[in-house]
Every structure is written in structure tokens, then in C-alpha cells.
Amino acid sequence: MTDFARLRPHQLQEAIAANTPVVLPIGVLEYHGQHLPAGVDLLAVTEVLDRLGDAIITLPPFAYGAASHAVAGPEGTGTLHIDANAILPLAEGLFTALLKAGFRNIHGVIHHQTEGFDQGMPTDLAFRLAGRTAIMRHLEASRGPGWWGDRAMQDYYADQARAADPFSWIRIHPLFPKGAGFPFDHAGKGETALMQALAPETVDMARAQDGEHWYTADAGQATLTLGETGVEIALAHLRDVFGLKS
């Protein structure tokens, strides 16, 4: 992947002209049992994106999501919970800045709590609302009040069907597509396998059953093969939503 922070102005201008996908990895820091690191949800995203190479530009990742303390308390577990209400203005400010810079192919990718992505959870909802709000404000500022009602917008719905409308400028995606044939869990077989494939140095299987957590009961069934299968599912999904050729 190409790191946004390492690009010079002419390279950024070329990326804008080419409509290259600009991607924000979104994660949380949260307890994932005794055998996995706190950054599982972020690492799953950043490491998969890395496999897309120079087809995308990646923004510095956002790691401080609304983890909650539903899994474990805050003391010594690695869980850092930031309220979604604090995330919202930061996310809106970032998206506003990207739109002002000229980018129109902006994406966020998240893995935390995305099993019910249709309904949403605090972190992804904060970024989704921020994206919509940033677009609405940018359109009104650049096109003026009543922009949508102008006769020039009479093809709006046809454009929307072709994914060419302004609300496609910023989109937030789960790492895995809906109905993916891969186990979705928390520090169980699925996430453990992903870390074995993506960040093996962070996994300590000897500690997989420490703590006697119900959600890590099947972690010992994780395999590198399963993890690589999950990576390929995620890659295919992201290539599709980013509009990249396989």
C-alpha cells in the first residue's frame, strides 16, 4: 500500500486525478484474551490492506475507537475506550479536509463489531455519520443552498444507480462482506486464525485457554490455512468495493 504521509504534492495531485482509492483503517484497542494483542481489530484491517499494494493510498490508521468495556474492564487489559461522541467531530473534520483537498474516492474499513453492520455499532456509525455530514456540508458550501433541487440535478437518481452521485465520495465498509463464509468471533477460531496469517508474531497459542473465557474456547482450532482463507475473502471484498481489478 502507498502511505499517504510519504507522498509529495505532485503524487497526491496525480492520485486525485486518477481517482485512486484513499483508505482509512479504523480500529479499536481491546482485550482479545491472553493469546492475542489488543490491536487485533486494527491489525486485521491494516495487514489486509497492505496486501493491496500500490493500488490504494492508505491514511494513517485510526486506532482509538469505541471499544466499550463489555468484554473486559480497563485495568491492564489493553482496552482503551473512546466515546463515539468524541470520535464524531474528529472524523467529520478529517473527511471535510479530504474533500477540500480534492479526493472523491474515500473509504474507511473497520473490523470491530461488524457482524451487524446493517444496523451499525458506535464506532462505525460515528464514521458513517461523519462521512455523510461532511459531504452534505461540502455540497452546500460549494454548490449553494438548494443545490439538489436545481434542474441540473435532474439525473440525480440515474447517477446514483451508477454509483456516480456525491454520496459515493465517502464510504465505510466492514472488512468482511455480509454472509462471508468465515467464522466471525472475538478472539476465537476466526480472529486467532487471522492473526496467525497476518501478524503471527503477536500470537501465543500456549495462552489460548488462559482466563477460561467462553469466547476463546475454540481458539485452539485456528489454523494458518483458515486464516489465509479469511484474508482472501477480505481481499476480494475490498477489491470489489474499491473498484479494483482482481
Side-chain angles (χ1 to χ4, degrees):
M1 63 185 177
T2 299
D3 185 349
F4 186 101
R6 293 178 177 272
L7 296 179
R8 294 182 296 278
H10 78 278
Q11 294 171 310
L12 291 169
Q13 291 158 17
E14 290 169 358
I16 291 169
N19 206 32
T20 302
V22 176
V23 185
L24 174 67
I26 303 168
V28 303
L29 297 174
E30 180 185 32
Y31 179 71
H32 280 76
Q34 298 292 322
H35 65 301
L36 295 178
V40 166
D41 292 335
L42 182 66
L43 290 169
V45 174
T46 57
E47 297 302 311
V48 168
L49 290 175
D50 188 56
R51 298 196 181 194
L52 291 175
D54 293 339
I56 63 171
I57 294 173
T58 306
L59 292 159
F62 179 86
Y64 304 104
S68 87
H69 294 122
V71 173
E75 295 183 6
T77 62
T79 296
L80 302 179
H81 171 73
I82 308 298
D83 192 89
N85 290 324
I87 298 169
L88 181 59
L90 186 150
E92 185 181 331
L94 172 59
F95 291 144
T96 297
L98 289 166
L99 290 173
K100 287 182 177 179
F103 293 99
R104 297 293 184 269
N105 193 7
I106 304 163
H107 303 264
V109 178
I110 184 170
H111 180 57
H112 178 66
Q113 295 181 330
T114 54
E115 65 271 35
F117 194 76
D118 288 349
Q119 293 294 321
M121 292 294 274
T123 302
D124 65 87
L125 286 173
F127 279 93
R128 289 154 81 176
L129 177 57
R132 285 292 187 260
T133 302
I135 291 170
M136 289 290 288
R137 289 181 175 171
H138 180 85
L139 290 170
E140 184 159 338
S142 60
R143 301 183 183 184
W147 66 269
W148 187 86
D150 190 275
R151 185 170 292 278
M153 295 300 298
Q154 62 186 345
D155 294 328
Y156 173 80
Y157 289 112
D159 288 343
Q160 190 177 50
R162 294 193 296 270
D165 73 298
F167 292 98
S168 67
W169 292 348
I170 302 173
R171 291 178 286 161
I172 309 300
H173 315 280
L175 181 62
F176 287 95
K178 186 176 182 178
F182 187 80
F184 197 102
D185 56 36
H186 181 83
K189 178 171 68 174
E191 287 194 334
T192 301
L194 276 181
M195 288 300 98
Q196 288 176 330
L198 295 169
E201 75 284 358
T202 70
V203 182
D204 184 357
M205 291 306 296
R207 297 179 180 272
Q209 298 308 316
D210 289 3
E212 300 181 350
H213 306 304
W214 66 266
Y215 49 86
T216 62
D218 65 352
Q221 300 174 28
T223 65
L224 177 60
T225 299
L226 176 63
E228 289 292 355
T229 296
V231 170
E232 289 305 314
I233 292 171
L235 282 171
H237 168 58
L238 294 181
R239 288 191 185 101
D240 180 53
V241 298
F242 296 162
L244 303 176
K245 295 180 180 179
S246 300

